[in-house]
Short mmCIF file of all heavy atoms in Angstrom, two decimals:
data_model
loop_
_atom_site.label_atom_id
_atom_site.label_comp_id
_atom_site.label_asym_id
_atom_site.label_seq_id
_atom_site.Cartn_x
_atom_site.Cartn_y
_atom_site.Cartn_z
N GLU A 212 -24.57 -97.29 -33.31
CA GLU A 212 -25.65 -96.46 -33.84
C GLU A 212 -25.28 -95.84 -35.18
O GLU A 212 -26.07 -95.68 -36.07
CB GLU A 212 -25.99 -95.38 -32.81
CG GLU A 212 -27.29 -94.61 -33.12
CD GLU A 212 -27.69 -93.77 -31.95
OE1 GLU A 212 -28.14 -94.32 -30.94
OE2 GLU A 212 -27.58 -92.53 -32.03
N ARG A 213 -23.97 -95.47 -35.29
CA ARG A 213 -23.48 -94.84 -36.54
C ARG A 213 -23.19 -95.89 -37.62
O ARG A 213 -23.12 -95.56 -38.81
CB ARG A 213 -22.23 -94.04 -36.28
CG ARG A 213 -22.43 -92.80 -35.38
CD ARG A 213 -23.19 -91.74 -36.12
NE ARG A 213 -22.41 -91.20 -37.21
CZ ARG A 213 -22.89 -90.49 -38.24
NH1 ARG A 213 -24.22 -90.29 -38.30
NH2 ARG A 213 -22.13 -90.03 -39.15
N GLU A 214 -22.98 -97.13 -37.23
CA GLU A 214 -22.74 -98.25 -38.11
C GLU A 214 -21.54 -98.00 -39.02
O GLU A 214 -21.59 -98.21 -40.24
CB GLU A 214 -23.98 -98.54 -38.95
CG GLU A 214 -25.19 -98.99 -38.14
CD GLU A 214 -26.39 -99.30 -39.00
OE1 GLU A 214 -26.50 -98.75 -40.10
OE2 GLU A 214 -27.20 -100.16 -38.58
N ARG A 215 -20.45 -97.52 -38.41
CA ARG A 215 -19.23 -97.30 -39.16
C ARG A 215 -18.06 -97.13 -38.17
O ARG A 215 -18.28 -96.84 -36.96
CB ARG A 215 -19.33 -96.02 -40.00
CG ARG A 215 -19.48 -94.73 -39.18
CD ARG A 215 -19.71 -93.55 -40.09
NE ARG A 215 -20.99 -93.63 -40.76
CZ ARG A 215 -21.33 -92.88 -41.81
NH1 ARG A 215 -20.44 -92.00 -42.29
NH2 ARG A 215 -22.52 -93.01 -42.38
N PRO A 216 -16.85 -97.36 -38.64
CA PRO A 216 -15.71 -97.16 -37.74
C PRO A 216 -15.59 -95.65 -37.36
O PRO A 216 -15.83 -94.80 -38.18
CB PRO A 216 -14.49 -97.58 -38.55
CG PRO A 216 -15.06 -98.41 -39.68
CD PRO A 216 -16.44 -97.85 -39.93
N MET A 217 -15.27 -95.42 -36.12
CA MET A 217 -15.10 -94.05 -35.64
C MET A 217 -13.90 -93.93 -34.71
O MET A 217 -13.76 -94.70 -33.76
CB MET A 217 -16.37 -93.54 -34.93
CG MET A 217 -17.62 -93.60 -35.79
SD MET A 217 -18.97 -92.64 -35.10
CE MET A 217 -18.46 -90.96 -35.46
N LYS A 218 -13.00 -93.03 -35.05
CA LYS A 218 -11.80 -92.81 -34.24
C LYS A 218 -12.20 -92.02 -32.98
O LYS A 218 -13.01 -91.09 -33.05
CB LYS A 218 -10.76 -92.04 -35.04
CG LYS A 218 -9.46 -91.78 -34.30
CD LYS A 218 -8.49 -90.99 -35.15
CE LYS A 218 -7.93 -91.81 -36.26
NZ LYS A 218 -6.84 -91.12 -36.99
N VAL A 219 -11.58 -92.36 -31.85
CA VAL A 219 -11.85 -91.69 -30.60
C VAL A 219 -10.70 -90.79 -30.22
O VAL A 219 -9.55 -91.24 -30.12
CB VAL A 219 -12.13 -92.70 -29.46
CG1 VAL A 219 -12.44 -91.99 -28.16
CG2 VAL A 219 -13.28 -93.64 -29.84
N ILE A 220 -11.00 -89.51 -30.01
CA ILE A 220 -10.02 -88.53 -29.64
C ILE A 220 -10.22 -88.15 -28.17
O ILE A 220 -11.30 -87.70 -27.80
CB ILE A 220 -10.09 -87.23 -30.48
CG1 ILE A 220 -10.22 -87.58 -31.98
CG2 ILE A 220 -8.90 -86.31 -30.22
CD1 ILE A 220 -9.10 -88.37 -32.53
N GLY A 221 -9.24 -88.33 -27.34
CA GLY A 221 -9.33 -87.96 -25.91
C GLY A 221 -8.68 -86.63 -25.65
O GLY A 221 -7.65 -86.28 -26.23
N THR A 222 -9.29 -85.83 -24.79
CA THR A 222 -8.69 -84.55 -24.40
C THR A 222 -9.18 -84.22 -22.97
O THR A 222 -10.04 -84.88 -22.41
CB THR A 222 -9.11 -83.43 -25.37
OG1 THR A 222 -8.34 -82.24 -25.12
CG2 THR A 222 -10.58 -83.10 -25.26
N GLY A 223 -8.56 -83.21 -22.40
CA GLY A 223 -8.92 -82.83 -21.02
C GLY A 223 -7.85 -83.37 -20.07
O GLY A 223 -7.14 -84.35 -20.34
N GLY A 224 -7.72 -82.75 -18.91
CA GLY A 224 -6.63 -83.00 -17.96
C GLY A 224 -6.59 -84.45 -17.48
O GLY A 224 -5.47 -84.99 -17.24
N LEU A 225 -7.72 -85.11 -17.33
CA LEU A 225 -7.72 -86.47 -16.76
C LEU A 225 -7.67 -87.58 -17.82
O LEU A 225 -7.58 -88.76 -17.49
CB LEU A 225 -8.97 -86.68 -15.88
CG LEU A 225 -9.01 -85.89 -14.57
CD1 LEU A 225 -10.34 -86.09 -13.88
CD2 LEU A 225 -7.86 -86.30 -13.65
N ALA A 226 -7.71 -87.21 -19.08
CA ALA A 226 -7.72 -88.21 -20.17
C ALA A 226 -6.52 -89.15 -20.10
O ALA A 226 -6.66 -90.39 -20.20
CB ALA A 226 -7.83 -87.54 -21.50
N PRO A 227 -5.24 -88.65 -19.91
CA PRO A 227 -4.12 -89.56 -19.85
C PRO A 227 -4.19 -90.56 -18.70
O PRO A 227 -3.78 -91.73 -18.82
CB PRO A 227 -2.89 -88.65 -19.68
CG PRO A 227 -3.38 -87.33 -20.18
CD PRO A 227 -4.84 -87.24 -19.84
N LEU A 228 -4.79 -90.16 -17.57
CA LEU A 228 -4.94 -91.05 -16.42
C LEU A 228 -5.81 -92.25 -16.77
O LEU A 228 -5.46 -93.40 -16.51
CB LEU A 228 -5.55 -90.30 -15.25
CG LEU A 228 -6.01 -91.14 -14.07
CD1 LEU A 228 -4.77 -91.79 -13.39
CD2 LEU A 228 -6.77 -90.30 -13.03
N PHE A 229 -6.92 -91.99 -17.43
CA PHE A 229 -7.87 -93.09 -17.76
C PHE A 229 -7.34 -93.95 -18.91
O PHE A 229 -7.71 -95.08 -19.02
CB PHE A 229 -9.25 -92.53 -18.05
CG PHE A 229 -9.96 -92.06 -16.84
CD1 PHE A 229 -9.94 -90.75 -16.43
CD2 PHE A 229 -10.67 -92.96 -16.05
CE1 PHE A 229 -10.55 -90.33 -15.28
CE2 PHE A 229 -11.29 -92.57 -14.88
CZ PHE A 229 -11.25 -91.23 -14.47
N GLN A 230 -6.47 -93.40 -19.73
CA GLN A 230 -5.87 -94.17 -20.79
C GLN A 230 -4.95 -95.27 -20.21
O GLN A 230 -4.72 -96.29 -20.85
CB GLN A 230 -5.06 -93.26 -21.72
CG GLN A 230 -4.49 -93.95 -22.96
CD GLN A 230 -5.53 -94.19 -24.04
OE1 GLN A 230 -6.73 -94.32 -23.77
NE2 GLN A 230 -5.08 -94.32 -25.27
N GLN A 231 -4.46 -95.09 -18.99
CA GLN A 231 -3.63 -96.10 -18.31
C GLN A 231 -4.37 -97.38 -18.10
O GLN A 231 -3.81 -98.48 -18.13
CB GLN A 231 -3.09 -95.60 -16.99
CG GLN A 231 -2.15 -94.41 -17.05
CD GLN A 231 -1.76 -93.95 -15.69
OE1 GLN A 231 -1.70 -94.72 -14.73
NE2 GLN A 231 -1.48 -92.65 -15.56
N GLY A 232 -5.68 -97.25 -17.80
CA GLY A 232 -6.44 -98.42 -17.43
C GLY A 232 -6.95 -99.23 -18.58
O GLY A 232 -7.19 -100.42 -18.45
N ASP A 233 -7.09 -98.60 -19.72
CA ASP A 233 -7.62 -99.28 -20.90
C ASP A 233 -7.32 -98.43 -22.12
O ASP A 233 -7.04 -97.23 -22.01
CB ASP A 233 -9.17 -99.47 -20.77
CG ASP A 233 -9.67 -100.68 -21.54
OD1 ASP A 233 -8.90 -101.19 -22.36
OD2 ASP A 233 -10.82 -101.06 -21.30
N ALA A 234 -7.34 -99.03 -23.31
CA ALA A 234 -7.09 -98.28 -24.53
C ALA A 234 -8.34 -97.58 -24.96
O ALA A 234 -9.00 -97.98 -25.92
CB ALA A 234 -6.57 -99.22 -25.62
N LEU A 235 -8.69 -96.53 -24.23
CA LEU A 235 -9.96 -95.82 -24.48
C LEU A 235 -9.91 -95.00 -25.76
O LEU A 235 -10.91 -94.84 -26.44
CB LEU A 235 -10.29 -94.91 -23.32
CG LEU A 235 -10.65 -95.56 -21.99
CD1 LEU A 235 -10.94 -94.49 -20.93
CD2 LEU A 235 -11.85 -96.51 -22.14
N PHE A 236 -8.73 -94.41 -26.06
CA PHE A 236 -8.65 -93.46 -27.16
C PHE A 236 -7.66 -93.93 -28.21
O PHE A 236 -6.66 -94.58 -27.93
CB PHE A 236 -8.13 -92.08 -26.61
CG PHE A 236 -8.77 -91.67 -25.31
CD1 PHE A 236 -7.99 -91.42 -24.20
CD2 PHE A 236 -10.14 -91.49 -25.22
CE1 PHE A 236 -8.55 -91.07 -23.01
CE2 PHE A 236 -10.72 -91.14 -24.02
CZ PHE A 236 -9.91 -90.92 -22.93
N ASP A 237 -7.96 -93.56 -29.44
CA ASP A 237 -6.99 -93.79 -30.52
C ASP A 237 -5.88 -92.71 -30.49
O ASP A 237 -4.77 -93.00 -30.83
CB ASP A 237 -7.70 -93.74 -31.87
CG ASP A 237 -8.76 -94.85 -32.01
OD1 ASP A 237 -8.34 -96.04 -31.92
OD2 ASP A 237 -9.93 -94.54 -32.14
N VAL A 238 -6.27 -91.51 -30.08
CA VAL A 238 -5.33 -90.37 -30.03
C VAL A 238 -5.66 -89.53 -28.80
O VAL A 238 -6.84 -89.35 -28.48
CB VAL A 238 -5.41 -89.52 -31.32
CG1 VAL A 238 -4.41 -88.38 -31.24
CG2 VAL A 238 -5.23 -90.34 -32.57
N PHE A 239 -4.62 -89.01 -28.16
CA PHE A 239 -4.85 -87.99 -27.10
C PHE A 239 -4.31 -86.65 -27.59
O PHE A 239 -3.19 -86.56 -28.07
CB PHE A 239 -4.09 -88.40 -25.82
CG PHE A 239 -4.05 -87.28 -24.79
CD1 PHE A 239 -5.21 -86.91 -24.12
CD2 PHE A 239 -2.89 -86.63 -24.51
CE1 PHE A 239 -5.21 -85.85 -23.22
CE2 PHE A 239 -2.84 -85.60 -23.59
CZ PHE A 239 -3.99 -85.23 -22.94
N GLU A 240 -5.13 -85.61 -27.46
CA GLU A 240 -4.73 -84.27 -27.87
C GLU A 240 -4.80 -83.33 -26.67
O GLU A 240 -5.91 -83.04 -26.15
CB GLU A 240 -5.68 -83.75 -28.98
CG GLU A 240 -5.57 -84.51 -30.29
CD GLU A 240 -4.28 -84.22 -31.05
OE1 GLU A 240 -3.52 -83.35 -30.62
OE2 GLU A 240 -4.05 -84.88 -32.08
N ASP A 241 -3.68 -82.86 -26.23
CA ASP A 241 -3.60 -82.06 -25.01
C ASP A 241 -4.22 -80.65 -25.21
O ASP A 241 -4.93 -80.14 -24.37
CB ASP A 241 -2.16 -81.91 -24.57
CG ASP A 241 -2.02 -81.26 -23.18
OD1 ASP A 241 -2.99 -81.34 -22.42
OD2 ASP A 241 -0.98 -80.66 -22.91
N ASN A 242 -3.95 -80.05 -26.36
CA ASN A 242 -4.37 -78.64 -26.63
C ASN A 242 -5.45 -78.60 -27.71
O ASN A 242 -5.46 -77.72 -28.54
CB ASN A 242 -3.19 -77.78 -27.01
CG ASN A 242 -2.23 -77.55 -25.86
OD1 ASN A 242 -2.68 -77.27 -24.75
ND2 ASN A 242 -0.94 -77.69 -26.11
N LEU A 243 -6.39 -79.54 -27.68
CA LEU A 243 -7.38 -79.62 -28.74
C LEU A 243 -8.22 -78.35 -28.86
O LEU A 243 -8.39 -77.81 -29.93
CB LEU A 243 -8.30 -80.82 -28.49
CG LEU A 243 -9.25 -81.19 -29.61
CD1 LEU A 243 -8.48 -81.72 -30.83
CD2 LEU A 243 -10.30 -82.17 -29.18
N THR A 244 -8.74 -77.86 -27.77
CA THR A 244 -9.61 -76.67 -27.80
C THR A 244 -8.84 -75.44 -28.25
O THR A 244 -9.36 -74.68 -29.05
CB THR A 244 -10.22 -76.43 -26.42
OG1 THR A 244 -10.85 -77.60 -25.94
CG2 THR A 244 -11.25 -75.31 -26.49
N MET A 245 -7.62 -75.28 -27.79
CA MET A 245 -6.82 -74.13 -28.18
C MET A 245 -6.52 -74.18 -29.72
O MET A 245 -6.57 -73.15 -30.39
CB MET A 245 -5.53 -74.08 -27.42
CG MET A 245 -5.73 -73.93 -25.91
SD MET A 245 -6.65 -72.42 -25.45
CE MET A 245 -5.28 -71.25 -25.41
N HIS A 246 -6.26 -75.41 -30.21
CA HIS A 246 -6.03 -75.53 -31.65
C HIS A 246 -7.29 -75.16 -32.43
O HIS A 246 -7.22 -74.48 -33.47
CB HIS A 246 -5.61 -76.97 -31.99
CG HIS A 246 -5.47 -77.21 -33.45
ND1 HIS A 246 -4.36 -76.75 -34.18
CD2 HIS A 246 -6.30 -77.82 -34.36
CE1 HIS A 246 -4.54 -77.09 -35.46
NE2 HIS A 246 -5.67 -77.74 -35.59
N GLY A 247 -8.44 -75.60 -31.91
CA GLY A 247 -9.70 -75.30 -32.61
C GLY A 247 -9.95 -73.79 -32.67
O GLY A 247 -10.50 -73.30 -33.69
N LEU A 248 -9.58 -73.07 -31.66
CA LEU A 248 -9.75 -71.62 -31.68
C LEU A 248 -8.92 -70.98 -32.79
O LEU A 248 -9.40 -70.06 -33.45
CB LEU A 248 -9.38 -71.02 -30.31
CG LEU A 248 -10.37 -71.28 -29.17
CD1 LEU A 248 -9.79 -70.79 -27.85
CD2 LEU A 248 -11.71 -70.62 -29.44
#
Side-chain angles (χ1 to χ4, degrees):
E212 193 169 288
R213 294 288 294 161
E214 297 182 331
R215 65 185 66 196
M217 301 196 74
K218 181 181 289 187
V219 181
I220 314 300
T222 191
L225 291 175
L228 171 66
F229 286 94
Q230 186 76 335
Q231 295 177 29
D233 208 346
L235 292 178
F236 318 120
D237 297 299
V238 182
F239 169 70
E240 294 287 355
D241 188 26
N242 291 316
L243 188 70
T244 307
M245 299 300 275
H246 176 76
L248 287 173

